[in-house]
Amino acid sequence: MVVHIISLVLLSTVSGFGWVMVTLPLLMIWEIAAWTFGPTQNFNLVSLTPEASGIVLSLNSSFVQLGFAAGAGIGGIVAGRSSILEISWVGATSVVIALLIGVFSFRRSRELSSAQQ
């Protein structure tokens, strides 16, 4: 997720200058960081609940599609009210929020598991 954040911030900074030779590799890094998340998440979900893997994966897919729709809506609002270059800042902010939620969630999970032992 950190690579995702850094690439989005750099994309917003560099894209305004028209540096195509820098922007294209940053787009590639961003794509790799964004799309390698899905298979890893699916593997983790199936390993957590192998008996209900079909239901868990379909729920995950539904929420991913909902996230795509919300992201498109927010991106449309941002592009309509300001510059198209601001979309990567909004994307980086959303990834930071997701990272903070993940850190809090994992920390809370560890606290609960250590309290049960």
Side-chain angles (χ1 to χ4, degrees):
M1 291 181 96
V2 174
V3 173
H4 197 161
I5 295 166
I6 291 170
S7 63
L8 283 171
V9 169
L10 288 175
L11 266 173
S12 179
T13 306
V14 173
S15 296
F17 298 114
W19 296 342
V20 176
M21 296 308 287
V22 176
T23 303
L24 288 177
L26 282 174
L27 280 172
M28 288 184 225
I29 292 169
W30 171 70
E31 286 291 326
I32 291 169
W35 289 103
T36 55
F37 175 73
T40 307
Q41 182 177 0
N42 287 340
F43 175 78
N44 287 332
L45 289 172
V46 169
S47 65
L48 286 173
T49 58
E51 64 281 349
S53 61
I55 295 170
V56 170
L57 290 177
S58 65
L59 281 172
N60 181 53
S61 178
S62 296
F63 281 105
V64 166
Q65 295 300 320
L66 182 64
F68 287 159
I74 293 169
I77 292 169
V78 170
R81 294 188 180 188
S82 63
S83 170
I84 193 77
L85 296 176
E86 300 296 321
I87 289 177
S88 60
W89 285 106
V90 173
T93 304
S94 67
V95 175
V96 167
I97 292 169
L99 182 63
L100 292 174
I101 291 171
V103 166
F104 176 75
S105 174
F106 286 127
R107 187 172 293 152
R108 182 78 173 140
S109 175
R110 285 186 191 143
E111 289 173 2
L112 289 174
S113 66
S114 66
Q116 290 177 350
Q117 294 176 354

